[in-house]
Amino acid sequence: MNLENLQKNLTAKGYTVRVFDTAAQAAEYLVESIHGKTVGIGGSMTIDAMDVYDRLAQDNQVFWHWKTPGPETLAKAAQAQVYLSSVNGIAETGEIINIDGTGNRVAATLNDREKVVFITGINKVAEDFHQALWRARNIAAPLNARRLNRKTPCALKEEMKCYDCKSPERICNGLTVLWRKMGGVKECEVVLIQEELGY
C-alpha cells in the first residue's frame, strides 16, 4: 500500500484525510471531534471493533441499529448530522466502494448532511479501482454473509468468492462507487487506520 499516494488522491477528490497508527487513536479522535450532534452509524465490524458507540453517546445522540434494532433507529440514523461508515474497498487511486443489502448504509453516505466519515483499516486498501471492487465482492461480501449465517453460495461453499447468486438471502443488492466527494455532503472525511480492521 502506498499511503502517501492514497492520501494525495483522496485529497484531490475533495476528502479530508486523517491517518492514525491504531484504532484506539482513531477512536479518540472521533470522540474528541464530534460534540452535540446527531450521529448515525452504518453496519460495520470496523466501527464495532473501535468501541466508540458508548463514548460518542455521552455527548451526542447516536443512532445505530446494531445497538437499538428497528426501523425508527434506521430512520433517525439516515437523517443524522454526522454519519459514520466503513468501506468494503478503497483504491489508492481514490475510489470508495461499498456493497449493501437494504441500502440504508450506502444511501446515508450520499445524501445531504453535515458530515460523512469513512473509516477504514489498511486491509481494505487496493491498488486500483478494479482490485478494490474485486475485494468488496470476493472478500468483504462473503465474510459478511458468513457472519450473518446467510444461505448463499459465498457463505456455504468452501471457496470464498462472489457467485453472483440469486439467493433470496443475498446481501449484495446494491453497489456504490464514490469517484469524488458527494456534492451534497458538506464535509467528507476518510479516517485511515494502519491496522487490519473489519472485512
Side-chain angles (χ1 to χ4, degrees):
M1 180 188 69
N2 187 328
L3 184 60
E4 184 179 341
N5 196 38
L6 175 58
Q7 287 181 264
K8 180 186 72 175
N9 288 326
L10 286 170
T11 300
K13 291 173 181 288
Y15 300 100
T16 301
V17 183
R18 314 265 182 203
V19 181
F20 299 93
D21 291 331
T22 68
Q25 291 172 348
E28 194 65 32
Y29 163 72
L30 292 171
V31 171
E32 290 180 355
S33 64
I34 303 172
H35 296 285
K37 303 292 185 182
T38 55
V39 180
I41 304 178
S44 168
M45 293 297 291
T46 297
I47 295 172
D48 196 38
M50 294 171 69
D51 198 27
V52 295
Y53 173 82
D54 289 332
R55 296 177 66 194
L56 284 171
Q58 291 175 13
D59 195 32
N60 305 277
Q61 285 186 285
V62 184
F63 306 104
W64 194 8
H65 65 288
W66 280 19
K67 302 296 183 181
T68 309
E72 184 178 351
T73 303
L74 289 168
K76 288 180 177 179
Q79 298 301 316
Q81 293 166 293
V82 179
Y83 195 83
L84 309 182
S85 175
S86 188
V87 305
N88 295 136
I90 184 167
E92 286 185 19
T93 45
E95 296 84 13
I96 296 173
I97 296 171
N98 269 314
I99 292 175
D100 215 346
T102 61
N104 64 293
R105 181 174 62 106
V106 296
T109 64
L110 302 175
N111 60 7
D112 184 24
R113 72 181 65 251
E114 190 175 309
K115 187 173 185 178
V116 171
V117 183
F118 290 106
I119 304 164
T120 181
I122 57 169
N123 51 310
K124 312 283 188 76
V125 181
E127 186 175 348
D128 57 28
F129 165 72
H130 296 288
Q131 291 183 51
L133 176 60
W134 185 93
R135 187 202 184 278
R137 295 188 67 188
N138 296 284
I139 297 177
L143 285 173
N144 276 309
R146 293 174 186 205
R147 173 178 62 84
L148 296 167
N149 297 312
R150 295 300 181 98
K151 294 180 176 64
T152 58
C154 67
L156 298 172
K157 294 187 178 184
E158 184 176 345
E159 185 179 3
M160 191 171 69
K161 68 173 187 176
C162 176
Y163 292 83
D164 196 18
C165 71
K166 295 177 175 59
S167 169
E169 296 195 15
R170 174 178 171 139
I171 65 169
C172 301
N173 296 324
L175 169 77
T176 59
V177 178
L178 295 184
W179 302 108
R180 301 181 60 84
K181 169 191 166 295
M182 292 297 292
V185 178
K186 292 179 179 64
E187 182 182 3
C188 197
E189 188 170 72
V190 179
V191 172
L192 299 170
I193 302 168
Q194 297 189 74
E195 293 182 332
E196 293 196 1
L197 291 165
Y199 303 149

